Amino acid sequence: MDTDEIYMKRCLELAALGLGKTYPNPMVGAVLVYKNKIIGEGWHQKAGEAHAEVHAIASVKDRSLLAKATLYVNLEPCAHSGKTPPCASLIVKHKIPKVVVGCIDHFSKVSGKGIEMMREAGISLTVGVLEKDCKESHKRFFTFHNNKRPYIILKWAETTDGFIAPLDQEKGKPFWITSSESKKRVHKWRTEEAAILVGTKTVELDNPSLTARLWEGDQPLRVVIDKSIKLNSSLNAFNDAAKTLVFTKEHIENTKTTTYQKIHFKHTENELLNELYNREIHSVIIEGGTKTLQNFIDLNLWDEARVFIGKIKLKNGISAPKFNLEPWKIETISSDILKWYKNKTLLN
C-alpha cells in the first residue's frame, strides 16, 4: 500500500463514523498531511452540519501549514452552496496546494465541478485513489442519485431446512429462529439505514416494534404496507418510539407519528420506491415477509441481502425467499450462520 492509499484508508475509517447519521448526505472523511504526518482530520458527522473538510481544516493547530499540506478526502469536495458553503472554495481559500480524491461525486450539483474549481485555482489533484473502496463507502448515496431509489438491503432469517415461520404461527407471537447475538446485530443495522420496510402479514403475526432497542443510534423510519388498513393502530409498529409511514390505497388522516400515503398498488414495489425517493430516503432494509421479499427479488430491485440461518428445523412451514446466488461472505454469529449476498447485475 503506497502513501496515498494509507491516508485514503484513514479517510474511509473516519467516514464510516458517520454511518446512519448523515442522510441525505454521503459519508465523508478528510485527512490533512504535512511531511508524512497527519496534522488534521475530520468527518461529516450529521446532515446540515459542517462537512469533513471543514472539520479537518479546523482541527489543524498551526494554520500556516495548510499552504504546505496535502488534503485527502474519499469524495470530491462539493462546489455548491447547500446548508453549508462549498468545500472546494474553502480549500482554495486556505491555499492548500495538493488534494487527493477517492472518487468523483455522482450528485449533479457537484459531479466534477469541485475538481474543476480546484484545478482552476492551481491546486495539484490526484483522483481515483482506492476508488473501488471509496465508491463502496458511498453505495447508498450513489444508488439514490444514479438509480433514483433507495439502496435496498434484504434481510431475513430461515431455519436449517429453509423456512421462515411455522404455518400455524399465533398472531402477536414472533417465531425466533436466531440467537440474541444475531438480534443485536440486526438492531445495529437498523441504526445504519434510513428506513425499514415490512408487509402486512409480518406486522400482523409478529407485532414487531421495528426499532433499534439493543443498539444506540437513530431510529429508522418504519415503513409498513397495509393496502386495506387491516392493521390495528395499537400494534407496536405504530407506537411513538419512531415515525411510521404506511402505504395504503385508502385515504386516512395522519397521526402525530404515523403518515398514511395513498398509492395505486398497480406497480407496488416501484410505487413504494418512488415515494421513498421523493422523501429522500437513501436506504431501506426490507425485513419481510416472504411475499414482500420475493417480489423485490423477482423484480431485481435489491442491492444486497443478509440471510441468517439458525439451527432450528421445522420440516414444514412458510418457505424462505428463493434466489440462486452464492454468498460473497459467510460468518458465524453464536449458533447462527450469516450469509451476505450482492446483486452483481447492478454492480459497476
Side-chain angles (χ1 to χ4, degrees):
M1 187 178 291
D2 66 23
T3 302
D4 283 352
E5 290 178 344
I6 289 170
Y7 293 124
M8 189 58 69
K9 186 176 180 183
R10 177 58 182 161
C11 289
L12 291 168
E13 291 171 351
L14 291 166
L17 297 174
L19 184 57
K21 302 178 181 70
T22 66
Y23 302 123
N25 296 342
M27 299 183 298
V28 181
V31 173
L32 278 155
V33 177
Y34 174 66
K35 289 187 175 180
N36 287 323
K37 182 181 178 182
I38 293 176
I39 59 170
E41 59 183 29
W43 69 95
H44 185 37
Q45 299 174 17
K46 189 176 181 180
E49 296 184 0
H51 289 186
E53 299 92 327
V54 176
H55 283 298
I57 290 170
S59 72
V60 177
K61 293 180 180 179
D62 183 354
R63 295 298 180 89
S64 68
L65 296 180
L66 290 172
K68 308 169 189 176
T70 298
L71 172 69
Y72 292 84
V73 60
N74 66 315
L75 183 69
E76 174 187 4
C78 61
H80 68 292
S81 293
K83 292 183 179 179
T84 59
C87 292
S89 296
L90 184 69
I91 294 164
V92 172
K93 175 185 173 183
H94 285 285
K95 299 179 180 179
I96 297 171
K98 183 177 180 182
V99 177
V100 179
V101 176
C103 62
I104 298 294
D105 194 337
H106 291 192
F107 183 37
S108 60
K109 288 185 178 180
V110 184
S111 195
K113 297 180 180 70
I115 299 293
E116 183 181 357
M117 182 185 293
M118 291 185 290
R119 278 210 173 111
E120 287 179 352
I123 293 172
S124 172
L125 282 152
T126 301
V127 180
V129 173
L130 293 184
E131 185 174 29
K132 184 178 179 182
D133 295 330
C134 290
K135 285 184 175 179
E136 174 68 17
S137 75
H138 303 305
K139 60 189 179 183
R140 297 165 180 83
F141 185 72
F142 285 171
T143 296
F144 181 83
H145 288 289
N146 294 340
N147 299 346
K148 309 302 180 187
R149 64 162 175 79
Y151 185 84
I152 300 170
I153 300 169
L154 308 180
K155 172 263 161 185
W156 71 87
E158 61 183 71
T159 61
T160 305
D161 48 356
F163 300 102
I164 66 165
L167 292 172
D168 57 352
Q169 182 181 343
E170 186 179 344
K171 284 185 180 181
K173 291 191 176 180
F175 175 71
W176 293 109
I177 293 173
T178 54
S179 65
S180 59
E181 287 83 358
S182 293
K183 185 177 180 180
K184 188 174 182 180
R185 176 74 71 92
V186 171
H187 283 222
K188 178 179 182 292
W189 290 343
R190 288 176 179 177
T191 68
E192 296 171 352
E193 310 307 332
I196 175 173
L197 183 150
V198 293
T200 307
K201 276 285 186 186
T202 297
V203 177
E204 189 175 53
L205 292 175
D206 293 347
N207 191 21
S209 295
L210 305 176
T211 54
R213 303 175 302 285
L214 302 177
W215 197 269
E216 186 177 347
D218 293 339
Q219 300 294 347
L221 173 70
R222 301 179 292 200
V223 182
V224 175
I225 302 171
D226 189 8
K227 185 176 181 180
S228 304
I229 306 297
K230 291 173 59 180
L231 299 172
N232 193 300
S233 60
S234 66
L235 290 167
N236 291 335
F238 307 105
N239 63 26
D240 60 3
K243 291 184 178 181
T244 303
L245 173 64
V246 179
F247 286 107
T248 177
K249 68 175 183 179
E250 308 294 337
H251 178 74
I252 305 292
E253 291 296 321
N254 298 335
T255 68
K256 185 178 179 181
T257 57
T258 303
T259 300
Y260 293 89
Q261 178 64 51
K262 186 176 179 180
I263 62 172
H264 297 296
F265 284 93
K266 292 180 179 178
H267 303 285
T268 304
E269 289 71 26
N270 282 300
E271 288 180 62
L272 299 181
L273 295 178
N274 285 340
E275 185 59 38
L276 293 178
Y277 174 79
N278 291 335
R279 292 171 182 269
E280 289 201 323
I281 301 299
H282 278 52
S283 65
V284 58
I285 303 177
I286 300 176
E287 291 204 10
T290 293
K291 182 181 177 182
T292 301
L293 288 159
Q294 194 66 57
N295 285 345
F296 279 92
I297 292 170
D298 292 345
L299 290 167
N300 201 36
L301 287 172
W302 65 283
D303 297 287
E304 64 176 274
R306 303 168 185 178
V307 182
F308 289 97
I309 301 173
K311 281 194 170 182
I312 295 173
K313 285 189 177 182
L314 275 180
K315 295 184 180 179
N316 193 18
I318 298 172
S319 295
K322 308 291 183 189
F323 58 10
N324 297 315
L325 291 173
E326 291 297 319
W328 71 272
K329 182 171 75 171
I330 299 176
E331 61 178 298
T332 301
I333 302 176
S334 185
S335 58
D336 309 319
I337 301 297
L338 172 59
K339 296 184 177 182
W340 299 71
Y341 298 85
K342 287 182 180 178
N343 189 343
K344 295 181 179 179
T345 65
L346 299 180
L347 297 178
N348 292 331

